Amino acid sequence: MSLRSELSDLFGQAFAGLGLDPAYGEVMVSQRPELAQYQCNGALAAAKVAQMAPRDLAERVVARVAAEAGDRFADLSIAGPGFINITVTDALVARRVQEMADDLDLGIGEPDAVSEILIDYGGPNMSKALHVGHLRSAIIGECLKRLFRSTGHHVVGDIHIGDWGMPVGQLIVALELRRPDLPYFDPDHTGPYPDEPPVTLDDLSEMYPQIVALAGEDPEIAERARRATLELQNGRPGYVALWRHFHNVSIAGQRKDFEALDVDFDLWFGESTVRDRLAPMVERLVEQGIAVESDGAYVIDVAQPDDKTEIPPLLLTRSDGSYLYTTTDLATLEMRAEAGYDLVLYVVDARQSLHLEQVFRAARKAGIVPPSMVLEHVPFGTVNGPDGKPFKTRAGGVLRLQDLIRLVTEAAERRLADADIAQEYPPEERDRIARQVGIAALKFGDLANHRMSNYVLDLDRFTSFEGKTGPYLQYGAVRMRSILRKAEERDLAPGVVHPPTAPRARDLMLELLELPEVLERAGDLRAPNQVAEYAYDLATVFNRFYETCHILREEDPHRQASWLQLVAITLRTMAVVLEILGIEIPERM
Ligand code: ARG
């Protein structure tokens, strides 16, 4: 059990002993570190129920806690209207940090109940080379996956490629406009179809925005795209053959892009994965009276009496019988329910919240998912340019992920040169470090913000080795590694953790002990920024310790071994936290 849960339990028992809810005993990190390390504010909240003055209640709680405390507290006092200030003994801190050192899992432990979690993230549409717009879902989704795994849950990541809707019909038409001679478009062609794909991913990425624009202007093109979508969904052989090519070409390209970001998926499913479920599902929903006809289309009414804004009905099929984004999302939930997940997180742009709300409601109404299965949209804001609007290239286009990674890697190279880091290393190693630093810059630049806030993509700021950045954290971790290496060269090893003699060592130890709570809270709130914040705090507290406690020059061998142990635990903790953030630590820098 972590130190803070131990304290919360102790205070909880005191409240319970007074006939009050033990939840009032929650102990938090003090808001006023100069006065105390921790605080419990429960007496203020409980005073009314207890029909007591808050200070009197706080006194009774403190009396009860003190009776059970053993050697835990250096100070327990009541401040202001009834805050309880708590300072623990250095012996307790040392004991707990030693336990952390001895535990392979750094005290993170197992969850009370292991959840089966599916995270739906990434979600590019087929045919799209990844661009800035795909960044956040990939980075946040990957981080949440790693976070829940680190706290002992079973997590599956599913990319859910958009590969069975109108965009595919549009691409089919786009290619037909360019190459009407291809056998895929000849209704009399009886196959086989060529093995070689007729397009590259670049072609597809170029064709897609063009056809979308064209369909917007020309109703006839729009109509053809709709028909092509329907015919594909009905299994027209030439279109299915073409779809397969599009699919293979885009997955190969997207895989590479995600790999460059160090983002990976357990399932490369897409909308098309559930294509055989669509017709039977729709039929059943119609039969059950859940889907009703409306101008030839089928809709599901999902409004609820207490809705504050109107939630329009979900469009299940178009009037021509074709399926949409909603249809495949519902059928995908049918598949996910069969797989038995407890929790499904959709890491999808905030602008899709209505769509997901409709899908979740329809799935519940139709009994597609069991009541125990939690469905949750984890929304996020946009990546903006310096003008504060969603990021565009100077030419007004979208910035390809590949180009972005190149830009940030170059910026990292310049930073390394300016700081004279890694300049004398072999070129391959220097390149690898630049890439690692660049990706760290990008990911931390994103994850440091609460996911709902929009942020400005500022590569210059993100790649700095100073301030709240990914490279700052990497540099800190590499420094810890190098201290341990130097110690080893002098035959010095980490040893027993002693009670802190220096305030900076104590601060570091208390920060280390926060790890389990941070991970738990970040998971509960689906808030990677809390992990990012912790990584930054830990690196900062460590640097202060390192500046004031001269580890390698320390003369007392016990104190030195204890400090080296603190370096070792801090590095292990940083490794866990950076791994969750998807940031690699270079071997050396
Ligand atoms: N492909 C969608 C898009 O590009 C995102 C998919 C999100 N996931 C989902 N199950 N709807 O907007």
Side-chain angles (χ1 to χ4, degrees), residues 285-307:
L285 295 177
V286 171
E287 227 162 67
Q288 292 171 336
I290 288 169
V292 295
E293 215 218 278
S294 164
D295 296 328
Y298 279 99
V299 301
I300 301 178
D301 181 17
V302 291
Q304 284 166 5
D306 52 353
D307 285 341

Side-chain angles (χ1 to χ4, degrees), residues 120-126 128 133-134 137 158-163 167 271 325-326 328-330 332 336 344-349 352 355-356 359-360:
D120 178 320
Y121 69 106
N125 284 341
M126 188 166 103
K128 272 206 190 154
H134 296 105
S137 177
D158 182 355
I159 186 170
H160 199 75
I161 294 174
D163 62 359
E271 297 165 356
Y325 187 38
T326 48
T328 48
D329 258 331
L330 269 182
T332 301
R336 289 173 178 170
V344 184
L345 299 177
Y346 289 75
V347 184
V348 180
D349 194 317
Q352 291 198 26
H355 162 76
L356 289 170
V359 168
F360 297 166

Side-chain angles (χ1 to χ4, degrees), residues 3-12 22-30 37-42 73 84 86 88 514 517:
L3 175 59
R4 206 129 64 75
S5 350
E6 177 187 338
L7 299 180
S8 294
D9 276 4
L10 204 60
F11 278 80
Y24 289 121
E26 194 195 351
V27 169
M28 293 172 295
V29 172
S30 169
Q37 296 162 346
Y38 301 101
Q39 64 187 65
C40 172
N41 301 345
F73 300 110
I84 303 171
I86 306 161
V88 297
E514 284 299 303
E517 261 77 21

